[in-house]
Amino acid sequence: MSEVDERPLADRMRPAILDDIAGQQHLLGEGKPLRRALHAGHLHSMILWGPPGCGKTTLARLVAFHSRQQFLAISAVMGGVKDIREAVEKAQQHRTEAQQGTVLFIDEVHRFNKSQQDALLPYVEDGSLLLIGATTENPSFELNNALLSRARVYVLKGLDCQALVSLLERALQDTDRGLGTLGLNCDTALLQQLAMAADADARRALNLLELAVEMAMARSQTASQLEQEDIAAVLEGSVRRFDKGGEYFYDQISALHKSVRGSDPDAALYWFARMIDGGCDPRYIARRVVRMAAEDIGLADPRGQALALQGWEIYERLGSPEGELAIAQAIVYLASTAKSNAVYTAYHAAMADVRSTGSLDVPLHLRNAPTRLMKDLGYGKDYRYAHDEPGGVAVGETYFPEGLADRRYYEPVDRGLEMKIRDKLQRLRAGNRQAAGTKHD
C-alpha cells in the first residue's frame, strides 16, 4: 500500500467533488441554496449544524476548493484566540501574495467561549476570513448573536440507511481510495446491518466496514466475501447516537414526554428504549416520568403519580436491567390513562396572581389567634369551622384576600377522576353563589 492508503478508510473516501457527497440534497441538489451560492460565487460565512459524520468538514473543504481559496482549519477544542490571530496573519499574507481569500474552518465552534467568538467578528466583518463553523449543537443556544448575524446557518441531516449502504458499496469497489483491491464482496443485507449500526454517521459506517474487513482477512487471507460473523464481531456492544446533555438528549426526552401526553404508549416505549440503549441514566428518566404524572395526568388519575414513584423506587432497589421494566410499566400506564393538566394550569395561574398582586393581607377571620391581643384585634373572629357546618362545608365563606374573591384557577376536565371532582366543585360553587345572593358565575 502507498502512504496515502495508510489513512483510515473514512478519510480516504472523503468526497472530492460536491456530487460525491452522500445525502444533503436539500442543500446541494440542483437549484438548492448552497449549490446556487457556490456556482454563482456568492460566498458567505456559514455555520454547518448537523450530527456527527454528516459531512460538515468535507463540505467546508469543498467550499474552499470550488471558490479557489486557501483552506485553514482549527479545532475549538484545542484552539483559542492565539490560533485565530495566526490564521488571520496567514490569510492576510495569502491575500497579498496569491490574491486569494481564505476559508477558516472551525470544528466544534460551539466550544469557543464568548470572548473567543468575539475575536472572530472583525475579521469576518471586513472579509479577511470566510468563516465556516461546524457544530453538533444548536447554534441559537451556543453561539453569540453577533456571530450568528454575520453567518448563515445550514442544517445538515444524518444519512439514511440507503445512502450509507451506497457509500459502503462504493468503498468496497473503489480501487484507488477504497477497498477494491482486496476483491471482497458483501451481501446488501449485511451492509444494511452496518448502516443501521452507524446511526446516520458516514464516518462511523466506514470505520465499521474497515473493521469488518480486518476481521475477514484475519479469518482468511484469501477471503472473498464478508460473512455474518465478521459483521457481528464489529457490531457487538455498539450503541445508537445519544449525546448526554446535548441536543439529541433533550430532543429524545421531549419526544418521550410528548408521546405520554399524546396517549401513545408504543411511541413512549420506543423513545424510552432509545434513551436506555444510548446510555441515559434510568434515574433521570424516572424523575421525568414523575414530572409527567404530575403535569399531564394529574387528578384525572392520581394512581399515575404513585405508580411513577414506585417505578423509580423499584429501579433503585433492583438496578439495571431489571429495574428498567418498572419504569417502562409506569410510562405505559401514564400514556394509556386519562390526562389532565388542570392542576398544572391552575398552579401557574395562581402563581401569576401572586406575583402581580403583591403581599395581600390574610383576612382577619382566617388568622390564628394564640394570644389575647390578637383576639382583641379581631384575629379569627367569625371564622366558620367547616366540620361543624352542614355537609362539612361553610357555604358562602371567603378564603381569598380582599380583592381576589372571584378568582377561579382550577377547572377540572371531563376525564377520569376529575369528572367526579368537577361535579362536586360545581355543587359547591353553586351553593356559594346562592349564599352570596348572586345569579351569575
Side-chain angles (χ1 to χ4, degrees):
M1 279 190 177
S2 63
E3 183 177 348
V4 70
D5 288 334
E6 296 293 341
R7 293 177 299 160
L9 178 63
D11 194 42
R12 301 203 307 269
M13 291 298 297
R14 192 182 296 275
I17 59 175
L18 285 175
D19 289 337
D20 285 345
I21 293 182
Q24 315 312 331
Q25 290 304 298
H26 64 296
L27 297 178
L28 300 174
E30 290 298 331
K32 296 303 181 180
L34 191 50
R35 181 178 282 272
R36 288 203 312 268
L38 288 173
H39 286 329
H42 298 153
L43 295 176
H44 47 266
S45 292
M46 62 188 76
I47 303 297
L48 304 178
W49 173 27
C54 67
K56 298 186 292 294
T57 303
T58 295
L59 183 53
R61 290 180 180 274
L62 290 179
V63 168
F65 174 77
H66 277 271
S67 60
R68 301 181 184 279
Q69 298 197 51
Q70 176 183 217
F71 181 81
L72 299 177
I74 60 178
S75 171
V77 176
M78 304 293 293
V81 174
K82 178 183 177 183
D83 301 272
I84 295 172
R85 290 172 179 163
E86 289 177 355
V88 171
E89 291 176 3
K90 291 179 181 178
Q92 293 171 339
Q93 182 179 359
H94 188 71
R95 182 177 292 276
T96 301
E97 296 177 352
Q99 299 298 305
Q100 289 180 332
T102 296
V103 170
L104 175 61
F105 175 68
I106 302 180
D107 196 18
E108 304 288 345
V109 66
H110 62 275
R111 293 184 180 270
F112 269 167
N113 59 34
K114 184 179 185 302
S115 62
Q116 291 168 327
Q117 293 180 35
D118 287 344
L120 291 164
L121 297 178
Y123 308 113
V124 174
E125 187 74 33
D126 66 13
S128 299
L129 297 170
L130 190 150
L131 171 67
I132 301 181
T135 178
T136 57
E137 300 295 332
N138 191 325
S140 60
F141 297 150
E142 304 295 340
L143 300 184
N144 297 345
N145 288 333
L147 186 58
L148 283 176
S149 70
R150 292 164 172 81
R152 182 169 177 180
V153 176
Y154 290 103
V155 181
L156 280 69
K157 300 177 181 179
L159 276 64
D160 61 25
C161 185
Q162 183 178 352
L164 289 176
V165 168
S166 297
L167 179 62
L168 296 176
E169 289 175 340
R170 192 164 65 205
L172 282 173
Q173 297 164 7
D174 192 319
T175 56
D176 293 326
R177 299 177 300 160
L179 303 166
T181 56
L182 298 177
L184 281 170
N185 297 311
C186 186
D187 291 340
T188 300
L190 296 182
L191 292 181
Q192 288 174 341
Q193 290 183 34
L194 290 178
M196 291 297 294
D199 200 21
D201 185 332
R203 184 187 304 109
R204 187 177 183 185
L206 290 168
N207 288 341
L208 290 172
L209 176 63
E210 192 168 28
L211 287 172
V213 168
E214 291 177 3
M215 292 290 180
M217 300 306 293
R219 174 170 50 80
S220 172
Q221 289 294 321
T222 60
S224 60
Q225 184 84 17
L226 285 176
E227 304 291 350
Q228 177 64 56
E229 60 184 289
D230 305 318
I231 304 300
V234 300
L235 295 187
E236 184 177 359
S238 65
V239 295
R240 264 49 64 195
R241 184 168 65 244
F242 185 82
D243 182 14
K244 297 178 183 178
E247 183 78 8
Y248 300 117
F249 178 90
Y250 293 110
D251 284 348
Q252 290 181 24
I253 193 61
S254 175
L256 171 58
H257 192 151
K258 288 169 182 173
S259 298
V260 169
R261 179 183 296 150
S263 299
D264 191 332
D266 302 298
L269 270 181
Y270 169 80
W271 292 114
F272 173 62
R274 275 284 299 275
M275 297 186 77
I276 293 298
D277 180 68
C280 181
D281 185 350
R283 295 176 184 83
Y284 171 81
I285 302 176
R287 181 174 66 83
R288 288 297 297 260
V289 170
V290 174
R291 166 66 186 266
M292 295 171 202
E295 178 179 340
D296 291 297
I297 284 76
L299 292 179
D301 189 348
R303 294 169 298 183
Q305 198 161 270
L307 192 60
L309 284 169
Q310 289 170 10
W312 190 352
E313 182 180 358
I314 290 170
Y315 177 81
E316 292 290 358
R317 290 176 178 269
L318 294 182
S320 294
E322 295 88 350
E324 289 153 9
L325 183 60
I327 301 175
Q329 180 174 307
I331 288 172
V332 169
Y333 185 87
L334 296 182
S336 304
T337 195
K339 307 292 188 298
S340 171
N341 71 339
V343 173
Y344 175 83
T345 301
Y347 168 73
H348 285 284
M351 186 61 73
D353 264 357
V354 167
R355 289 169 177 165
S356 64
T357 57
S359 300
L360 299 177
D361 290 336
V362 176
L364 286 176
H365 70 282
L366 296 181
R367 302 185 191 186
N368 286 328
T371 68
R372 185 174 187 82
L373 173 62
M374 297 168 82
K375 290 180 180 178
D376 291 342
L377 292 173
Y379 283 31
K381 184 180 180 181
D382 298 326
Y383 169 66
R384 296 164 60 191
Y385 187 58
H387 293 290
D388 292 341
E389 299 280 338
V393 178
V395 177
E397 181 67 289
T398 299
Y399 297 96
F400 270 103
E402 184 176 352
L404 290 180
D406 293 332
R407 290 296 197 276
R408 181 175 297 179
Y409 305 122
Y410 179 50
E411 294 290 349
V413 300
D414 189 19
R415 293 184 293 275
L417 179 63
E418 283 200 333
M419 288 191 296
K420 294 183 177 180
I421 297 175
R422 181 201 57 191
D423 293 342
K424 175 67 178 296
L425 286 181
Q426 286 177 345
R427 293 194 299 271
L428 291 174
R429 288 166 176 170
N432 286 333
R433 289 195 300 270
Q434 185 176 2
T438 62
K439 297 183 180 179
H440 60 274
D441 188 350

